């Protein structure tokens, strides 16, 4: 039985990972098409500003509702059966509709005031467009929020992967709309495609979950019997889940006060960084997190210590050359991936600056993710939430200050700086609570990795601006990447980095740990 459960779990994780990767790739393809048609224009800024804030708000609220409802859904399925539980689910959906309608109406009525709040430096004509977009998105807010709840309902029924499939559907609809209707609707095509995708996603989820109409009968919409613990859990969960979304919303608002194209550049660079995160960071961290959970569950604390310390150094070892290459070659990467159509050299400059500053903190994003998951493994939920709140409170004024000094790059640099600080705080907190981290061994290895990375930055930069300056972009990227890996490996060999030799041995043995 345990082996069957383990195989089922592994299959589910693999399915979600593959679909998440495909969804991210399609999402980047969608952003590439948008960049082709609109570049980093003021009109694309307006769309990305409103759509970004709408996305973050609905995700924060919807995920909080879904996380709060899922435990009760699983509990009721075991106690009352699936049919009665689906009736309660439909009741919850109807109550959310009743609660959300007054809020949506208020957003619609006061859209002009909200437009002035999120885009204080825009002209009157631009504010009219922002207000129009707010009104249009307010009409589908309920459907988007409830879709997050329905995703968790499907997860509770062990029907995984639907969220990733609908994300792919959103990208496909956006691309089709842009290709067919861009000449007629312009930037409004993106609004219509987003609204269409939200409605279609909601309809599909309702049809899949409530395909038998009897679930919708006798659901007692006005009854709160058994619903109290759901509503009581929403606010605490929202504080923990939504805090990082708040930071992203503030970053969008700050970027709207900068030069034209800043909001669009922030969006394109964030999408590309998210793809890098999915391709590299998420997969590596997932392996170490699974091993940590397994060892801790079996009370193999020596194994937990070994995996945690190995994970920290391995992430630095693997991600530092990626960071070096992407930071030095950020302009070439953006040029190769996005420079076509309306995405000109000005757009390349803005986006590559934001992308490079994001990437400075890449190893620390990964370490923060690993250490946070370790906290969840040992049932320490307070530390990640407390540190996240502190990080966001620091990030907001830092983003504002650095944006005045370095523009769009200052906003993403603030995120990198805060991630570095948060990672250091997590290190101290975890070592104080468990003593599992071997600081001396980690700093010795990380010091050698850092030294090799700094020297590699200089070597790759010199190669790029001298010998490769006249090469085509793709060839320059390939040669710079090969030289980066070769230089990095040679330097680690010269510095006698123990983990580097262990990693090479594990590669020969076809294993990571």
């Amino acid at each position: 039985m345990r082996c069957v459960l383990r195989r089922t779990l592994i299959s589910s994780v693999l399915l979600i990972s593959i679909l998440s990767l495909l969804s991210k790739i399609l999402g980047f393809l969608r952003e590439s098409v948008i960049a082709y048609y609109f570049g980093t224009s003021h009109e694309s800024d307006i769309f990305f500003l409103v759509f970004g804030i709408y996305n973050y708000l609905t995700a924060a609220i919807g995920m909080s509702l879904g996380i709060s409802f899922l435990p009760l859904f699983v509990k009721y399925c075991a106690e009352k059966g699936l049919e009665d539980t689906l009736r309660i689910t439909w009741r919850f959906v109807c109550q959310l509709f009743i609660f959300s309608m007054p809020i949506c109406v208020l957003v619609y009525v006061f859209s002009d005031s909200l437009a002035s709040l999120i885009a204080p430096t825009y002209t009157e004509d631009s504010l009219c467009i922002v207000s129009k977009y707010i009104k249009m998105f307010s009409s589908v807010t309920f459907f988007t929020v409830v879709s997050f709840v329905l995703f968790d309902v499907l997860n509770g029924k062990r029907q995984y992967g639907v969220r990733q499939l609908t994300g792919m559907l959103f990208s496909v609809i956006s691309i089709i709309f842009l290709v067919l209707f861009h000449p007629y609707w312009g930037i409004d095509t993106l609004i219509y495609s987003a609204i269409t995708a939200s409605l279609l996603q909601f309809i599909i989820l309702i049809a899949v979950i409530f395909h038998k109409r009897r679930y919708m009968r006798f659901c007692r919409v006005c009854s709160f019997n058994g619903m109290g613990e759901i509503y009581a859990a929403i606010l605490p969960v929202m504080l923990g889940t939504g805090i990082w979304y708040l930071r992203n919303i503030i970053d969008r608002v700050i970027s709207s006060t900068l030069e034209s194209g800043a909001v669009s550049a922030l969006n394109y660079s964030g999408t590309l960084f998210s793809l890098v995160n999915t391709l590299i960071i998420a997969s590596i961290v997932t392996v170490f997190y699974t091993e940590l959970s397994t060892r801790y569950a079996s009370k193999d604390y020596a194994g937990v210590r070994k995996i945690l310390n190995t994970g920290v150094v391995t992430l630095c070892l693997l991600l530092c050359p990626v960071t070096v290459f992407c930071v030095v070659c950020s302009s070439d990467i953006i040029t190769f991936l996005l420079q076509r159509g309306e995405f000109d050299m000005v757009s390349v400059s803005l986006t590559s600056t934001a992308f490079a500053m994001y990437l400075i903190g890449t190893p620390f994003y990964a370490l923060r993710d690993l250490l946070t998951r370790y906290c969840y493994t040992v049932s320490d939920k307070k530390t990640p939430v407390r540190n996240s709140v502190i990080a966001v409170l620091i990030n907001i004024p830092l983003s504002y200050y650095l944006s005045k000094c370095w523009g769009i790059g200052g906003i993403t640099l603030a995120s990198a700086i805060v991630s570095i600080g948060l990672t250091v705080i997590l290190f101290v907190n975890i070592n104080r609570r468990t003593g599992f981290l071997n600081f001396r061994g980690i700093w010795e290895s990380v010091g050698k990795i850092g030294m090799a990375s700094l020297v590699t930055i200089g070597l790759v930069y010199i190669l790029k601006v001298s010998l490769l300056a006249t090469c085509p972009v793709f060839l320059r990227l390939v040669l710079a990447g090969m030289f980066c890996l070769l230089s990095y490996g040679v330097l680690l060999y010269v510095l006698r980095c123990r983990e580097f030799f262990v990693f090479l041995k594990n590669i020969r043995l076809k294993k990571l740990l």
Side-chain angles (χ1 to χ4, degrees):
M1 180 67 181
R2 183 177 295 178
C3 292
V4 172
L5 181 61
R6 182 178 177 86
R7 283 198 298 270
T8 303
L9 181 61
I10 293 173
S11 300
S12 300
V13 171
L14 184 61
L15 172 66
I16 293 172
S17 299
I18 292 173
L19 290 178
S20 295
L21 177 59
L22 292 175
S23 180
K24 291 291 184 182
I25 293 173
L26 264 177
F28 178 72
L29 179 60
R30 180 194 71 235
E31 297 295 303
S32 300
V33 175
I34 296 173
Y36 175 82
Y37 284 118
F38 303 108
T40 54
S41 61
H42 183 61
E43 58 182 0
S44 65
D45 275 1
I46 295 174
F47 169 76
F48 285 128
L49 174 65
V50 180
F51 181 66
I53 293 175
Y54 166 79
N55 250 353
Y56 294 135
L57 279 175
T58 53
I61 297 170
M63 290 178 67
S64 301
L65 291 171
I67 291 171
S68 303
F69 183 72
L70 181 58
L72 188 68
F73 180 86
V74 175
K75 174 184 173 184
Y76 279 7
C77 279
E79 294 178 355
K80 301 184 178 184
L82 180 60
E83 188 166 324
D84 285 343
T85 306
L86 287 176
R87 285 199 182 96
I88 294 172
T89 303
W90 181 249
R91 183 200 309 170
F92 187 47
V93 170
C94 293
Q95 289 177 356
L96 290 177
F97 177 79
I98 295 171
F99 294 147
S100 65
M101 281 305 100
I103 299 174
C104 293
V105 170
L106 287 174
V107 170
Y108 188 93
V109 171
F110 293 101
S111 60
D112 291 342
S113 300
L114 291 172
S116 300
L117 181 65
I118 66 175
T121 62
Y122 279 11
T123 64
E124 187 174 343
D125 290 341
S126 297
L127 287 175
C128 288
I129 300 174
V130 173
S131 176
K132 181 183 78 170
Y133 289 173
I134 291 174
K135 289 177 180 178
M136 295 175 74
F137 279 125
S138 68
S139 64
V140 292
T141 298
F142 163 77
F143 305 105
T144 305
V145 168
V146 170
S147 293
F148 283 97
V149 179
L150 299 180
F151 288 142
D152 281 311
V153 168
L154 288 173
N155 288 340
K157 295 173 66 178
R158 291 185 171 86
Q159 296 177 356
Y160 302 108
V162 178
R163 177 176 299 183
Q164 288 74 23
L165 286 173
T166 54
M168 295 162 66
L169 176 66
F170 179 87
S171 298
V172 170
I173 290 175
S174 297
I175 293 170
I176 292 173
F177 268 58
L178 281 169
V179 172
L180 295 180
F181 304 118
H182 163 257
Y184 311 104
W185 296 336
I187 195 70
D188 287 353
T189 307
L190 295 172
I191 299 289
Y192 298 137
S193 67
I195 291 175
T196 302
S198 297
L199 291 173
L200 186 59
Q201 172 181 272
F202 179 79
I203 292 169
I204 292 172
L205 290 171
I206 290 292
V208 170
I209 296 173
F210 304 105
H211 57 280
K212 296 180 181 179
R213 292 187 178 180
R214 65 172 180 269
Y215 297 142
M216 303 180 182
R217 302 171 187 168
F218 313 111
C219 67
R220 296 178 299 167
V221 172
C222 296
S223 172
F224 291 91
N225 182 33
M227 310 288 287
E229 54 187 299
I230 301 175
Y231 291 108
I234 289 173
L235 184 58
V237 172
M238 193 175 296
L239 288 174
T241 303
I243 193 69
W244 283 105
Y245 290 105
L246 173 64
R247 186 205 68 174
N248 291 328
I249 290 172
I250 298 298
D251 282 351
R252 293 275 171 143
V253 173
I254 293 173
S255 65
S256 72
T257 66
L258 304 176
E259 68 266 45
S260 178
V263 181
S264 301
L266 184 66
N267 181 81
Y268 295 136
S269 60
T271 301
L272 185 54
F273 177 75
S274 178
L275 180 59
V276 173
N277 180 75
T278 302
L279 284 170
I280 302 174
I281 298 176
S283 55
I284 299 173
V285 170
T286 298
V287 172
F288 282 106
Y289 178 54
T290 304
E291 289 295 324
L292 281 173
S293 301
T294 303
R295 303 289 177 92
Y296 190 81
S298 61
K299 298 183 178 180
D300 179 12
Y301 299 125
V304 171
R305 180 194 296 270
K306 178 183 176 183
I307 295 297
L308 184 61
N309 286 276
T310 302
V312 168
V313 178
T314 302
L315 283 172
C316 293
L317 184 70
L318 296 177
L319 292 174
C320 279
V322 175
T323 302
V324 168
F325 170 72
C326 290
V327 169
V328 175
C329 301
S330 60
S331 179
D332 288 336
I333 292 172
I334 299 300
T335 298
F336 176 72
L337 293 176
L338 295 176
Q339 190 186 2
R340 53 188 63 89
E342 294 298 318
F343 201 91
D344 54 18
M345 282 305 300
V346 175
S347 302
V348 169
S349 177
L350 278 172
T351 307
S352 61
T353 300
F355 183 54
M357 294 301 103
Y358 258 136
L359 286 160
I360 287 176
T362 299
F364 298 94
Y365 292 124
L367 291 176
R368 186 192 69 200
D369 195 6
L370 176 66
L371 296 176
T372 299
R373 295 191 187 206
Y374 167 77
C375 290
Y376 290 139
T377 299
V378 298
S379 301
D380 178 13
K381 298 179 181 179
K382 292 182 179 179
T383 298
V385 173
R386 182 179 66 248
N387 290 347
S388 295
V389 171
I390 294 172
V392 170
L393 292 177
I394 296 173
N395 200 155
I396 293 172
L398 187 61
S399 290
Y400 178 79
Y401 174 75
L402 292 181
S403 70
K404 299 306 177 186
C405 300
W406 295 304
I408 187 64
I411 294 177
T412 51
L413 178 61
S415 297
I417 292 172
V418 169
S419 289
I420 293 171
L422 183 59
T423 303
V424 173
I425 293 172
L426 279 170
F427 263 104
V428 174
N429 288 341
I430 290 173
N431 196 57
R432 184 179 298 164
R433 289 177 63 88
T434 64
F436 277 2
L437 288 167
N438 177 13
F439 273 109
R440 183 175 179 179
I442 288 174
W443 292 130
E444 181 181 345
S445 299
V446 171
K448 292 179 180 179
I449 292 170
M451 189 181 303
S453 301
L454 290 174
V455 175
T456 303
I457 287 177
L459 293 175
V460 175
Y461 180 78
I462 292 170
L463 178 73
K464 180 190 169 189
V465 299
S466 56
L467 300 179
L468 302 180
T470 58
C471 291
V473 173
F474 179 71
L475 180 60
R476 188 159 61 237
L477 285 172
V478 172
L479 294 177
M482 293 171 61
F483 181 75
C484 177
L485 288 176
L486 180 62
S487 302
Y488 181 72
V490 170
L491 287 166
L492 288 178
Y493 181 85
V494 172
L495 292 170
R496 312 304 295 174
C497 180
R498 185 178 64 86
E499 282 74 14
F500 176 66
F501 293 104
V502 172
F503 177 74
L504 292 179
K505 179 182 177 181
N506 288 341
I507 290 295
R508 288 196 295 271
L509 297 175
K510 298 181 180 180
K511 66 178 184 176
L512 180 62
L513 300 175

